[in-house]
Amino acid sequence: MNASSPKVFVSYSWTSPAHKERVRTLVDRLIDHGVHAIFDDYDVKEGQDLNAFMEQMVLDPSVTKVLAICDKTYSEKANNRRGGVGTESQIISAEVYKKTDQNKFIALVFETAENGDPYLPVFFKSRLYIDMSSPEKESANYEQLIRAIYEIPLHKRPALGKPPAFLLEDEQVPVKTRHQLRAVKEAVQNSKPYVKATIREYFDRFSEALEDFRIKEPFDKSLDELVSDNVANFLPPRDNFIELVDFLVKYTDIADTIQDIRTFFEDASKYLHRPPTMSSWNDTWSDNYRFILYELFLYTAAILIKNGKFSALNSLLAQEYYISNDHRGSSFEGFAWFHGYTKLLQEVRSQKLQRASVTADLLKERATTKSATFDEIMQADFVLFLYSLLHSNSFRLWFPFSLVYAGYGRVFPLFSKAESKRYFTDLKTIFGVASKEEFLSKYQEGDSRYNLGGKIKTFATIGSRDIKQLGNFDKLDSRA
């Protein structure tokens, strides 16, 4: 790219005084925009050989572009090799046919035939041109010309990315719901009558595919390593699930599909218990599923918050889930059942690696999708914790492991914006409260029930997190 004063030579026919003046106007505009435009009236001296001058300009390596101003006269002279244009065209056509530096020659069409065809010399017929056949088109396409001269295109080639994940499936655990995801997108985008059935089929298929991640004897590693490796292998299916939820939130009425998401988690809860086919069992053998469901639920909440689907989030949190356990009987549980406390990760592996929380580390390392950033994951984790605290009469507590990385002095955006009465209505919708007073009253009841003292504790050596500060409690609903 030659970004400082590119040099161009303007080749044209002396068709008429009006045509020459139009060419001069274009030349002056180019000069005003930093282009060294070589134009006979400005650059040919008295007594100078015109043919030699034109040949020199076309072949001069410092001339980065040759602009051929094409009208009927120019085309006829070029094709018939007549006059100065004929001389120039012999040189230009030879260079064009050599196919060397094809970008050097730019045809500007100043006139078209009655049928709309551009007047172009034969050697330009197969080349792209810039249409300036009317004042309107010249104005519209001038930017195209100036970008071509400076070699700064409007559309730049993006950096090369990575091959699609599905091409690497031979090296990974296959994503069995890849085709179902495509079917959902096709059905939604084309308003098919079977949209609901396709969405349900996706969740059914995904739940079935979770069986492939079952940890079974014999074990060839320590259990904490097995769980860690299992969770790592689950990343492609996890991304597929997140893509599906993100798509549903953005392109469907999520109020209609939130029940399907709830049903999926109810069905997937079976992986937290001993299956009927296994006689030997230890609860830690489900620790991989505890993390997997925790992460899937957390991303679902984060995507709903990010897209302002607060009523749908309340629906996801407010109703109890039917948890089926063939060996201990069924029960109704709150969403915190999917909280994901994993002894093998949070205790055994954290101690082995000397980390405050391997669970938090994994959440941060795996925050690789565009659907939700890690900051949005932490905010969702805090919202789920706070909801379980406010509704502590019927829910166990959701502990926000990701807040290991929250740092001191953080206020999450959802709560920062809620200083405004308008945005505080979002919090009222999420938490199912009618006012700030009810919100704070429920918080105090939950804080007392769990004896928290206003802190999210048990972060070992890194200290606790102040709940009121994270939630901006003192300033909520304080602005008009």
Side-chain angles (χ1 to χ4, degrees):
M1 179 182 69
N2 183 9
S4 64
S5 301
K7 185 186 289 187
V8 304
F9 173 61
V10 180
S11 172
Y12 72 105
S13 68
W14 296 344
T15 302
S16 66
H19 178 70
K20 183 171 184 177
E21 188 57 34
R22 187 180 167 199
V23 175
R24 185 198 306 275
T25 300
L26 176 62
V27 167
D28 290 348
R29 188 178 183 186
L30 291 173
I31 293 172
D32 189 51
H33 286 150
V35 178
H36 183 169
I38 300 169
F39 182 56
D40 55 0
D41 275 10
Y42 298 155
D43 296 282
V44 178
K45 304 296 188 293
E46 289 80 357
Q48 189 171 358
D49 187 317
L50 285 176
N51 289 341
F53 171 77
M54 289 183 290
E55 182 174 3
Q56 178 187 353
M57 289 302 99
V58 173
L59 300 178
D60 187 345
S62 71
V63 174
T64 58
K65 304 291 179 188
V66 174
L67 308 184
I69 309 296
C70 302
D71 62 352
K72 182 178 181 180
T73 302
Y74 185 95
S75 298
E76 290 175 348
K77 288 183 176 180
N79 290 336
N80 296 325
R81 300 293 193 263
R82 290 192 293 108
V85 169
T87 302
E88 290 175 29
S89 64
Q90 290 182 56
I91 302 166
I92 293 173
S93 61
E95 293 298 304
V96 169
Y97 289 138
K98 281 181 186 177
K99 301 187 181 299
T100 57
D101 194 10
Q102 293 291 288
N103 292 327
K104 182 171 183 176
F105 303 96
I106 302 174
L108 306 182
V109 173
F110 266 43
E111 186 180 5
T112 59
E114 290 184 3
N115 63 0
D117 289 345
Y119 283 117
L120 286 168
V122 171
F123 53 85
F124 272 135
K125 286 291 186 182
S126 62
R127 296 174 61 85
L128 293 176
Y129 60 87
I130 297 177
D131 190 352
M132 293 187 164
S133 57
S134 68
E136 294 78 17
K137 290 181 178 178
E138 181 175 341
S139 177
N141 296 329
Y142 177 77
E143 181 182 350
Q144 182 184 356
L145 171 61
I146 201 73
R147 285 184 174 278
I149 292 171
Y150 276 95
E151 297 184 2
I152 303 177
L154 178 62
H155 302 291
K156 297 180 181 179
R157 179 186 296 274
L160 283 177
K162 298 178 180 179
F166 63 81
L167 294 180
L168 307 176
E169 284 185 353
D170 289 342
E171 302 172 14
Q172 301 174 340
V173 175
V175 181
K176 291 187 174 181
T177 51
R178 180 161 55 87
H179 299 297
Q180 277 77 17
L181 176 57
R182 292 178 183 172
V184 169
K185 289 184 175 181
E186 190 275 337
V188 170
Q189 290 166 347
N190 294 289
S191 302
K192 298 294 185 181
Y194 47 80
V195 167
K196 286 287 289 181
T198 308
I199 293 171
R200 284 194 295 269
E201 182 182 356
Y202 175 93
F203 285 119
D204 290 344
R205 182 67 168 148
F206 195 93
S207 183
E208 292 170 6
L210 288 176
E211 181 63 38
D212 295 340
F213 292 85
R214 177 84 66 186
I215 293 176
K216 300 177 182 178
E217 293 182 293
F219 305 135
D220 58 354
K221 306 180 178 180
S222 65
L223 271 172
D224 67 293
E225 289 181 284
L226 281 174
V227 169
S228 181
D229 291 348
N230 186 287
V231 165
N233 289 334
F234 184 72
L235 195 59
R238 183 212 70 165
D239 287 348
N240 185 269
F241 182 94
I242 291 171
E243 185 178 349
L244 181 277
V245 172
D246 190 60
F247 179 83
L248 294 180
V249 168
K250 290 177 178 175
Y251 300 108
T252 70
D253 183 351
I254 196 61
D256 290 339
T257 53
I258 200 69
Q259 186 57 46
D260 295 314
I261 296 174
R262 285 178 45 80
T263 301
F264 160 75
F265 281 105
E266 285 184 332
D267 184 58
S269 70
K270 65 190 176 189
Y271 293 103
L272 304 179
H273 311 296
R274 176 169 72 89
T277 55
M278 293 177 66
S279 56
S280 178
W281 180 254
N282 185 303
D283 275 349
T284 59
W285 298 358
S286 287
D287 271 7
N288 62 319
Y289 288 124
R290 290 186 175 90
F291 179 87
I292 284 170
L293 294 181
Y294 169 47
E295 189 177 41
L296 294 181
F297 199 97
L298 191 50
Y299 269 90
T300 300
I303 292 168
L304 289 169
I305 293 170
K306 181 176 184 176
N307 290 277
K309 305 300 182 180
F310 305 119
S311 293
L313 178 60
N314 178 265
S315 296
L316 191 69
L317 306 183
Q319 299 179 45
E320 293 183 321
Y321 289 76
Y322 181 73
I323 307 298
S324 178
N325 185 339
D326 291 338
H327 302 283
R328 298 176 185 171
S330 302
S331 63
F332 287 94
E333 303 287 347
F335 72 90
W337 184 262
F338 305 105
H339 169 247
Y341 182 83
T342 57
K343 183 176 181 179
L344 290 174
L345 293 178
Q346 189 58 26
E347 295 182 23
V348 177
R349 197 153 184 80
S350 292
Q351 185 176 2
K352 184 183 290 188
L353 300 179
Q354 296 185 326
R355 300 294 300 167
S357 172
V358 165
T359 303
D361 293 345
L362 286 172
L363 288 173
K364 189 173 191 298
E365 292 165 7
R366 293 159 64 88
T368 55
T369 76
K370 295 180 180 179
S371 299
T373 65
F374 184 62
D375 280 351
E376 290 162 343
I377 290 297
M378 286 194 291
Q379 177 174 254
D381 217 4
F382 179 66
V383 167
L384 297 181
F385 159 75
L386 201 54
Y387 191 101
S388 68
L389 188 63
L390 265 63
H391 298 275
S392 57
N393 288 335
S394 56
F395 294 105
R396 66 177 69 187
L397 198 61
W398 176 289
F399 187 79
F401 288 112
S402 67
L403 298 195
V404 164
Y405 288 99
Y408 295 100
R410 179 186 288 271
V411 177
F412 290 114
L414 185 67
F415 296 88
S416 179
K417 290 196 298 184
E419 291 181 19
S420 156
K421 293 184 181 296
R422 172 192 168 194
Y423 287 108
F424 184 71
T425 59
D426 297 339
L427 294 190
K428 290 195 294 184
T429 301
I430 293 171
F431 293 104
V433 296
S435 64
K436 177 181 178 179
E437 291 71 29
E438 183 182 357
F439 176 87
L440 294 178
S441 174
K442 285 182 174 291
Y443 161 71
Q444 290 296 342
E445 291 173 10
D447 186 81
S448 299
R449 175 180 293 273
Y450 290 101
N451 193 28
L452 297 181
K455 304 290 184 181
I456 302 174
K457 301 176 183 177
T458 69
F459 278 136
T461 58
I462 65 170
S464 58
R465 298 288 180 261
D466 188 290
I467 299 170
K468 289 185 176 181
Q469 179 177 310
L470 289 168
N472 200 29
F473 283 12
D474 292 340
K475 297 180 181 179
L476 294 177
D477 199 25
S478 62
R479 297 175 179 268

